[in-house]
């Protein structure tokens, strides 16, 4: 199965100059890697998600590279245009050349009160505009402590079920354009991580649940996110249920981001 390593840059870097330095570094190191290894086809797919202000520039810069570009969010209100101050639509994202968007990140759920209905709208707009979705789910520390992880992810995954109920013929599109990222909220940016066994069990549950929604979703890509770094990436990559990583902090340096990608490359050989 193709592995994916996705960098969520969040509200970083501060300047376009720093964005360019990061991109140059990434592209130079990816080119070096391609020259020195013959197993290019086994490579995990890389993707980066810059903030909206940098999206068009990053997308243009990566156009001829193997690295994909994603938005971090899209408007729930309209797939195209409208009087929605501060929003960017799926169509506008697509126009930059970006082919994906992250949706439902816990920071969006927490700071922007994104509801299940809102996420259903966003997912619908993305899929209908040809934008792939990296859909983030995961429990809080309190929910983890009382062992509610599986209940929480089931509830969050019901957005996919609702989309299929509304648009049954989107099942095949979703099979190609949906990735689930399991990110325990308590592991994001904290340096705390669940055990690989815990992640593996949760991923197995997610894969089974999504497969129950539609036959075409029988081999869903499920990434782990939350304090993934160059030191712990190998242990996650070694588990067959973990198809890659969604990386925050460690994606802001080409070295650590590519070290994580290398861990998934090695695991796929
Ligand atoms: P982190 O963030 O790698 O900094 O923990 C992950 C994420 O928020 O996607």
């Amino acid at each position: 199965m193709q592995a994916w390593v996705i960098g969520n840059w969040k509200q970083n870097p501060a300047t376009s100059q720093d964005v360019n330095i990061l991109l140059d570094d990434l592209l130079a190191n990816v080119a070096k890697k391609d020259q020195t290894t013959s197993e290019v086809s086994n490579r995990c797919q890389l993707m980066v998600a810059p903030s909206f202000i940098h999206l068009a520039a990053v997308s243009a810069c990566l156009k001829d590279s193997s690295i994909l570009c994603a938005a971090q969010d899209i408007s729930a209100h309209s797939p195209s245009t409208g009087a929605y101050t501060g929003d960017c639509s799926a169509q506008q994202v697509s126009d930059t050349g970006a082919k994906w968007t992250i949706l439902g990140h816990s920071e969006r759920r927490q700071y922007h009160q994104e509801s299940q209905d809102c996420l259903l709208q966003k997912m619908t707009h993305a899929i209908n505009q040809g934008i792939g979705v990296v859909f983030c789910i995961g429990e809080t520390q309190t929910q983890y402590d009382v062992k509610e992880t599986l209940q929480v992810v089931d509830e969050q995954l019901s957005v996919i079920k609702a989309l299929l109920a509304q648009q049954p013929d989107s099942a095949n599109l979703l099979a190609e354009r949906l990735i689930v990222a399991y990110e325990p909220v308590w592991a994001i940016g904290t340096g705390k991580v669940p055990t690989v066994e815990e992640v593996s069990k949760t991923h197995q549950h997610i894969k089974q649940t999504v497969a129950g929604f539609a036959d075409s979703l029988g081999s869903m890509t499920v990434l782990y996110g939350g304090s993934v770094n160059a030191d712990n990436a190998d242990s996650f990559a070694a588990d067959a249920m973990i198809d890659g990583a969604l990386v925050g902090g460690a994606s802001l340096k080409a070295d650590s981001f590519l070290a994580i990608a290398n861990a998934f490359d090695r695991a796929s050989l």
Side-chain angles (χ1 to χ4, degrees):
M1 189 148 173
Q2 166 84 71
W4 294 71
V5 172
I6 302 176
N8 175 10
W9 291 357
K10 308 191 181 184
Q11 196 174 289
N12 299 290
T15 65
S16 313
Q17 200 187 354
D18 289 342
V19 169
N20 289 337
I21 292 170
L22 176 54
L23 278 178
D24 286 350
D25 235 9
L26 270 178
L27 288 170
N29 281 293
V30 167
K32 220 189 294 168
K33 208 164 87 159
D34 286 353
Q35 269 168 13
T36 52
T37 327
S38 53
E39 303 282 355
V40 176
S41 59
N42 279 329
R43 285 297 159 68
C44 72
Q45 176 65 57
L46 292 176
M47 191 189 310
V48 294
S51 59
F52 272 129
I53 194 78
H54 300 131
L55 185 65
V58 172
S59 188
C61 182
L62 296 177
K63 192 159 70 76
D64 298 319
S65 81
S66 58
I67 306 175
L68 296 171
C69 188
Q72 296 175 13
D73 185 40
I74 55 164
S75 175
H77 301 294
S78 161
S80 52
T81 55
Y84 305 108
T85 302
D87 273 16
C88 275
S89 71
Q91 185 184 29
Q92 290 172 319
V93 165
S94 173
D95 184 59
T96 69
K99 299 273 185 289
W100 290 80
T101 185
I102 296 172
L103 287 183
H105 191 281
S106 66
E107 288 150 13
R108 302 280 325 164
R109 292 179 192 260
Q110 182 183 352
Y111 302 127
H112 301 269
Q113 287 77 44
E114 289 191 347
S115 65
Q116 296 282 93
D117 283 349
C118 160
L119 289 170
L120 174 58
Q121 285 296 110
K122 291 184 178 194
M123 199 181 283
T124 304
H125 294 331
I127 296 298
N128 291 342
Q129 292 289 326
I131 296 287
V133 173
V134 180
F135 185 52
C136 302
I137 58 174
E139 81 286 359
T140 62
Q141 179 76 63
T142 315
Q143 291 163 333
Y144 174 77
D145 290 342
V146 296
K147 303 196 182 342
E148 280 179 3
T149 299
L150 300 187
Q151 267 163 268
V152 172
V153 301
D154 280 353
E155 164 73 12
Q156 292 170 332
L157 288 172
S158 67
V159 168
I160 301 168
K161 196 174 178 185
L163 191 149
L164 285 164
Q166 276 180 11
Q167 293 184 210
D169 49 1
S170 64
N172 289 339
L173 279 182
L174 280 179
E176 285 168 30
R177 295 193 188 144
L178 179 66
I179 289 175
V180 174
Y182 168 58
E183 299 201 301
V185 180
W186 53 273
I188 295 177
T190 59
K192 290 196 281 183
V193 287
T195 65
V196 174
E197 290 70 30
E198 285 175 306
V199 175
S200 186
K201 273 197 193 135
T202 306
H203 280 208
Q204 188 173 13
H205 177 83
I206 292 167
K207 284 172 190 257
Q208 278 168 357
T209 304
V210 173
F213 295 161
D215 290 346
S216 64
L217 303 184
S219 53
M220 178 60 56
T221 296
V222 182
L223 314 182
Y224 168 72
S227 296
V228 178
N229 58 39
D231 295 328
N232 61 22
D234 275 308
S235 62
F236 290 117
D239 191 282
M241 284 290 151
I242 304 175
D243 304 317
L246 180 56
V247 186
S251 71
L252 296 172
K253 291 262 180 327
D255 281 359
S256 43
F257 186 56
L258 294 176
I260 295 165
N262 285 340
F264 282 91
D265 285 344
R266 278 193 296 275
S268 70
L269 288 179

